[in-house]
Amino acid sequence: SRTTVERRLRTEATTLEDSEAAELTGINVTTYKIRSFVLSSTYSALAGTLYAMMIKYVSPDTFVRKQSVMFVTMLLFGGSASVGGTITGVIFVLILTELLRALQDYQMVIYGVLMLVAIVALPGGLYGGIRQLLDQLRSRADQRKEARVHAER
């Protein structure tokens, strides 16, 4: 039923976000992590199959190192902890790729430097950094409201 599926999805999400808390509540974390791995592998295999059927030819030259670096860069920039972070990373890297098209010879060097900056300055990715910044701004606004309320009394 629908509630059972929703409950299982929430359980899996909790397991991936905070495995220690999930384990303390009696959830078998290893089982859910293996299920998540198998499901993601299945999706990857399906995507590869569809790609091979569409292209009709697959060779090792099809998947170059630069493309693999791009995928990792997208995850690091956006943040891999959420779907929003992944989407943010894809959009950011695609726009960056177009902006750096003229500097094609130095593109990988620039990506490397930007990845280091992203890892050090934004460990949760751009999406996590933006969310953290918005949370800080909200908390400051709440503190100012509280200060005004106390000042009016």
Side-chain angles (χ1 to χ4, degrees), residues 9-96:
L9 288 174
R10 279 195 302 264
T11 302
E12 287 197 31
T14 303
T15 302
L16 293 174
E17 288 176 11
D18 191 358
S19 58
E20 289 181 23
E23 202 165 332
L24 289 173
T25 59
I27 296 171
N28 189 351
V29 175
T30 306
T31 301
Y32 280 103
K33 286 188 177 185
I34 290 173
R35 284 183 186 173
S36 297
F37 177 75
V38 169
L39 185 63
S40 68
S41 300
T42 303
Y43 283 137
S44 298
L46 179 65
T49 303
L50 292 174
Y51 180 77
M53 288 173 56
M54 184 179 77
I55 301 298
K56 300 200 185 334
Y57 176 76
V58 178
S59 73
D61 298 335
T62 306
F63 306 101
V64 294
R65 182 179 298 144
K66 184 177 180 180
Q67 194 172 20
S68 299
V69 170
M70 290 287 287
F71 293 142
V72 172
T73 306
M74 289 175 181
L75 278 175
L76 286 174
F77 278 134
S80 60
S82 66
V83 175
T86 307
I87 292 170
T88 303
V90 169
I91 291 170
F92 178 78
V93 171
L94 288 177
I95 291 171
L96 188 64

Side-chain angles (χ1 to χ4, degrees), residues 72-145:
V72 172
T73 306
M74 289 175 181
L75 278 175
L76 286 174
F77 278 134
S80 60
S82 66
V83 175
T86 307
I87 292 170
T88 303
V90 169
I91 291 170
F92 178 78
V93 171
L94 288 177
I95 291 171
L96 188 64
T97 302
E98 291 303 315
L99 293 174
L100 296 176
R101 190 171 294 277
L103 302 172
Q104 191 126 11
D105 294 338
Y106 304 104
Q107 205 172 33
M108 297 308 275
V109 174
I110 294 170
Y111 284 142
V113 169
L114 289 176
M115 274 195 339
L116 286 173
V117 169
I119 291 169
V120 171
L122 299 167
L126 285 173
Y127 188 75
I130 291 169
R131 286 185 66 184
Q132 187 177 14
L133 179 66
L134 290 175
D135 288 343
Q136 288 176 354
L137 292 174
R138 282 187 198 120
S139 95
R140 286 182 185 171
D142 291 342
Q143 289 173 354
R144 288 180 185 149
K145 284 181 185 177

